[in-house]
Each structure stands twice: as C-alpha cells, then as structure tokens.
Amino acid sequence: MKKTIAFIPSLLFLVLLGSCSPSEPSVSDSSSSSSSPVESTSSASSSSSSVNPLPKKDLYASPDGGKGFNDDADGSKEHPYEFITAINHLTPGSTLYLMKGTYSSFTPYLINAETDLHPATSEEGRKTICPMKGEDGKPVSVTFDFSQMSFSSSNRGISINTDYWTLKDVEVKGAGDNGVYIGGNHNIVEHLDIHDCQDSGLQLGRKASDCTSMDTWPSYNLIKNVTSHDNHDPSGEDSDGFACKLTTGVGNVFDGCISYNNVDDGWDLYAKAETGPIGPVTIQNCIAFNNGITSYGVGTANSDGNGFKLGGESIAVAHIVKNCIAFHNLATGFTDNSNPGTIHIENCTSFNNGTRDWDAANIDMARTSTSLNYYKNIFSYCTGDRVDPITGNSTIANSKDRYKGTADHCLFYCGNSMLYFQDADVCNFEKDDEAGSPYESEVSPFVSITTPQPQASKGKEASEHNDIHHLLRDEEGNIKLGDFLKINPSSPFATMGAGGKALGADLSGD
C-alpha cells in the first residue's frame, strides 16, 4: 500500500501550507498552455483592486541575496533578494530571475498563501521563476540543494500551492521528501533535473488535509521536459520519479518527461479507496527505464520497479498514455495496477522489462476481471537475456503480456511469441480466439538497442553515470533518442501500424 500524504498536526504548519479554498478553479487546457511567461500586465491580485492593479516588476534573487531589512536588497540585479523574499514581492505577470549558483536550504521553500502575497488569478498574471541568461544567451546554472534536510514528510524542497506559476530550467536535489510538490492549479514545471530526493522527485497532491473533494485538488498543471532520477527513501516503497496520485484533480499533463533509476516506480498514479478516484492524467512523449533500483545500487524488497503504474485499489480512472516508452524496468513496463479502465494507451513501446521480476510483463493491463482498455499501435518486444540486478542470474527475455479490451494495430509479446491485431478488434489474452494472430519475423525491429544508462546491481552502482537530462534531449529540451528503439525502416514493423505507419512510439527526434 502506498503511503498517504502526511501532514504535521501543528497549527503553524497548516497555516504555512495554506488551507484549502472551496472555490472551483477556472478551467483551461494546460496541455496547450504556453511555457513562456505572458508579457502583458496581469489582472489584479487579491491584494489590489481591479481598478488599480499592481504594476508588473521583474525581480532578481541570488544565493546570498538579502531580505531588505538590514541590507540594500531591493530585488534589482545589483541588489538581489533571497529566494522567498523575492516570492513575497513578485507581482502578477512578472518574472523572478535567478542568478547563477547553488541555493542551499535545510528548510522547504513554500510558495503558498503565506508567501505568495500577490497571487495571480488568471493566465495573464502568470508568474515565472527561471535563471537569468548568461553571455551565451543560455540560462545560467542554478541548483536548489536541499541535501542538508533530514528524511521527513514535511521536508519537501519546493512546494507550489498557489496558482499560475512557471518554474523552469533549474536543478533540484537532495530534499528530505519530494523535490517539487504541486498543490495548486494551472502551474507549469519545465525542464527541471530532479534527483536524489527521499520521496518522489515530483509529486502532485492536495495542499492541505481539509481539501477533501476533487474540485479542491491540483488541476490543469503541466509537467514538461522534466527528468527525475535516483530518488530513494529508506523503505524503498515511495520514491517514484513522478507521482500524481491519491488526491489530484483533472487536466494534469506530463509531456516529454524522463524517469529512470528511481527506487520505486517511474510514474505512480495510485488511487485509494479512502479518498476515491483521482482525475484522469495524460502522459505523452515520456520514457521510464531502470526503475526499481537507483544507478547507485540502492533498492529494497519493497521497491516495485514498474515503468508506468496507472492506478490502484480497483478504482476506475480513464488515464491517457501516448507515444511513451518503457524499457529495462525491474517489474512491468505498463501496468493498470488494478485500474479496471478504460485506459487509452496509444503509440507506446515496451521493451525487455521484468529484469528482476521474470514473471512480470511488458504490458500488464488486465489485473481485474472487468479490465476494459483501448490499445492502438502498441509494440511489445523482447530480445536477448534479462539479468536480475539483485541476484545476477539471467534468463531469456520472455514477456507474457496481459490485455483486455480493444486492440487496434497492436503487437503483443507472449511467451516467446508475437500476437498481432491488424485491425481494431476485441482483445483478451486469456482467450485463444481473442489473443491475436501469431506473427513471426527474423528481422530486428529496432535500429539500436544500446541502452543510454547501464543498470546497476544490488549494492553496486552502475558502470557509468550519464547525464541523461542533457544526453537524451535536444536544445529545446525535447526528448531525442536518435536510433535507440527507433523502428528499423526496413523491417515489417515499420508499416504494421494504423495507416501503414510504424508500430510503437517515435521519440527519435527526427
């Protein structure tokens, strides 16, 4: 069982976290929101009238900035603020520019009702936190380092519990709980490298315990081109790359994100009977690999090791997963985790998962008798040997996919055999006449299967540690795998998808 979100019972902490507002957030499609700050003057904040809106004013912060009491700090480039003081002063429509360096803190950075003194109430008033640009025109290096924190559910690194914020182009590491936590609405987190935190690298969830209904839970947030890796907690059960679970609303989107070598799962969309269904989540253009053990060999018996975990406790939520890849995860690549559906999964590739759990599958989307999902252009494939990172034993890769619902131009892998659905049809792995047609090919389906990051083994770190956040992205931050798991254009798999296109995902960057 996954843990619930813990809150310190002291009144002081509940005030700092921010109480739940009963009002319903405005509705917009975060997947189409701009990741750049809006340049126009914002609408009035709650602290100023609509007749006299606060003026837009960009500010600067630095690792050794001041608070403006006994120093000259005024938020200018010459006299920058420290981080939270700058948050206090930032007005709607403005940008907080971070100066180069490491922002170290042993206490959380809370953006909430107590610190966001001039909150934005619309897209027009979106506030942005980003590094200033260097002489080369690129963002300067900025790291939020919380490694002085102890392990505690209250020790999140950066919490965004108000609305219409953008945080981009920074590194976050070492938090005593989540690296980044989002409890507000319409927020954008873009191009972050989050790692070595003691819970999920980035998590969405309610901002206070009195937020008891879905309309008060975080909604319409966009997580774009973020990398989360090597997060681990002492139990090994809670540190996922990304978690959108337990108490999250509608319209939350993950786009272009990479989750690898987290001690638990790549993505966790767990729903719990106590709090009921969460809002449907969209995951697109994302990758999950090597989850279940960190690249430093940290893992426990409680570490699940799924790539994309899409539910929990037999609660139906209609998640959407498109153009995503799972490979070399210790357990399953894509699992409904007892979510009976309907999950829409399209243009996805699952390759050589179950490196520890040899009875695990690339695709495990039928864990309840009532599972009813929709699959399109799915490609599940195994090749070579799987080496258990815990025991070092090896066996032939042999996924036994489980699927029920409707399959349209899909190829599943079941017991060293490929089963193909050429058109949209009822699918059920348990019935011979609904499991798909046997398919054979001696042609290698991929241009390359050379892994970008070797897998660690228990107690022994990986042979190399690559900078995946930059290695697998282009200059715009989008995923670019090149030939890795790109469908071989001369293979039959290149035309077996709907419309004569390739099966599976395409994150080559071409």
Side-chain angles (χ1 to χ4, degrees):
M1 180 182 296
K2 289 297 180 184
K3 73 174 186 179
T4 56
I5 301 172
F7 293 95
I8 294 178
S10 72
L11 177 61
L12 175 60
F13 185 72
L14 289 176
V15 170
L16 286 175
L17 186 63
S19 64
C20 185
S21 170
S23 62
E24 184 174 353
S26 60
V27 177
S28 70
D29 182 1
S30 70
S31 65
S32 62
S33 299
S34 170
S35 59
S36 301
V38 177
E39 292 299 328
S40 58
T41 303
S42 79
S43 60
S45 72
S46 62
S47 61
S48 63
S49 71
S50 59
V51 177
N52 297 301
L54 292 171
K56 173 183 173 181
K57 183 180 180 182
D58 296 338
L59 300 176
Y60 289 81
S62 74
D64 56 356
K67 296 184 177 181
F69 301 120
N70 299 315
D71 51 52
D72 295 327
D74 57 9
S76 65
K77 188 175 180 180
E78 293 75 22
H79 303 288
Y81 284 133
E82 60 87 31
F83 182 73
I84 288 297
T85 301
I87 296 297
N88 297 159
H89 286 84
L90 198 66
T91 56
S94 303
T95 297
L96 170 57
Y97 290 106
L98 304 175
M99 304 181 80
K100 182 178 181 179
T102 299
Y103 295 68
S104 299
S105 179
F106 60 87
T107 59
Y109 283 146
L110 303 175
I111 302 176
N112 58 23
E114 297 297 314
T115 59
D116 186 4
L117 302 182
H118 311 293
T121 58
S122 69
E123 182 63 39
E124 185 182 27
R126 176 174 297 281
K127 301 180 185 181
T128 299
I129 304 169
C130 64
M132 60 181 295
K133 292 185 178 180
E135 294 181 356
D136 59 359
K138 297 180 179 180
V140 299
S141 176
V142 171
T143 299
F144 288 96
D145 186 355
F146 300 102
S147 56
Q148 300 176 65
M149 284 181 171
S150 60
F151 171 65
S152 171
S153 60
S154 63
N155 278 344
R156 294 167 176 147
I158 301 173
S159 292
I160 305 176
N161 289 328
T162 55
D163 306 338
Y164 295 104
W165 283 89
T166 292
L167 173 64
K168 59 189 301 185
D169 295 328
V170 301
E171 178 185 6
V172 179
K173 67 178 185 178
D177 195 75
N178 306 126
V180 176
Y181 186 86
I182 300 174
N185 307 309
H186 303 284
N187 296 295
I188 299 172
V189 176
E190 182 176 2
H191 201 237
L192 267 62
D193 183 8
I194 307 172
H195 59 95
D196 291 288
C197 300
Q198 297 190 67
D199 205 304
S200 298
L202 184 146
Q203 182 166 336
L204 290 83
R206 61 185 176 184
K207 59 187 174 182
S209 59
D210 62 349
C211 297
T212 57
S213 59
M214 189 180 294
D215 64 325
T216 63
W217 297 345
S219 299
Y220 303 106
N221 297 289
L222 172 62
I223 315 304
K224 183 175 177 61
N225 293 350
V226 174
T227 303
S228 184
H229 63 100
D230 288 297
N231 298 295
H232 57 91
D233 59 287
S235 72
E237 188 175 9
D238 293 312
S239 293
D240 310 299
F242 300 96
C244 187
K245 61 183 181 180
L246 301 177
T247 53
T248 56
V250 299
N252 295 306
V253 176
F254 294 84
D255 188 357
C257 296
I258 301 174
S259 178
Y260 72 97
N261 279 117
N262 297 287
V263 78
D264 202 32
D265 300 309
W267 266 263
D268 190 350
L269 309 187
Y270 199 83
K272 191 174 183 180
E274 180 181 349
T275 46
I278 64 175
V281 178
T282 296
I283 306 174
Q284 57 193 23
N285 309 316
C286 293
I287 304 173
F289 68 96
N290 286 8
N291 291 293
I293 191 170
T294 73
S295 63
Y296 303 98
V298 177
T300 74
N302 296 319
S303 302
D304 289 345
N306 298 294
F308 296 87
K309 184 158 70 178
L310 306 174
E313 299 196 7
S314 300
I315 297 173
V317 184
H319 299 306
I320 297 172
V321 184
K322 292 185 176 182
N323 201 42
C324 292
I325 297 175
F327 65 94
H328 293 179
N329 294 289
L330 270 65
T332 303
F334 296 84
T335 175
D336 59 26
N337 201 43
S338 82
N339 178 353
T342 299
I343 301 172
H344 183 113
I345 178 168
E346 181 175 346
N347 291 107
C348 291
T349 298
S350 198
F351 174 68
N352 276 11
N353 293 286
T355 57
R356 176 199 62 202
D357 299 343
W358 291 345
D359 59 343
N362 279 333
I363 304 284
D364 189 358
M365 303 284 288
R367 293 185 62 178
T368 68
S369 60
T370 57
S371 292
L372 188 67
N373 300 308
Y374 177 76
Y375 315 86
K376 184 175 183 179
N377 289 351
I378 303 304
F379 188 30
S380 172
Y381 194 79
C382 291
T383 183
D385 293 340
R386 292 186 293 189
V387 179
D388 187 328
I390 308 301
T391 66
N393 297 329
S394 64
T395 188
I396 296 174
N398 180 18
S399 181
K400 297 179 181 178
D401 292 343
R402 295 155 51 93
Y403 44 90
K404 291 181 180 180
T406 299
D408 183 0
H409 290 83
C410 295
L411 195 149
F412 297 102
Y413 200 96
C414 297
N416 286 323
S417 299
M418 292 181 283
L419 296 171
Y420 181 50
F421 291 84
Q422 186 172 356
D423 298 296
D425 204 350
V426 173
C427 66
N428 187 338
F429 78 101
E430 293 180 314
K431 298 181 178 181
D432 290 341
D433 60 342
E434 296 179 1
S437 301
Y439 183 83
E440 295 183 3
S441 175
E442 299 296 327
V443 181
S444 177
F446 303 115
V447 177
S448 171
I449 58 171
T450 301
T451 180
Q453 172 59 47
Q455 197 170 58
S457 57
K458 181 68 174 178
K460 184 178 180 182
E461 64 181 80
S463 57
E464 57 187 85
H465 295 269
N466 295 312
D467 182 1
I468 296 296
H469 183 57
H470 294 97
L471 178 67
L472 300 186
R473 297 188 183 279
D474 62 20
E475 292 186 356
E476 301 299 321
N478 301 308
I479 293 176
K480 185 176 182 179
L481 297 184
D483 287 341
F484 178 65
L485 296 187
K486 179 181 178 179
I487 295 295
N488 181 353
S490 63
S491 73
F493 309 101
T495 56
M496 289 172 63
K501 296 184 178 180
L503 287 170
D506 183 2
L507 289 170
S508 65
D510 292 344

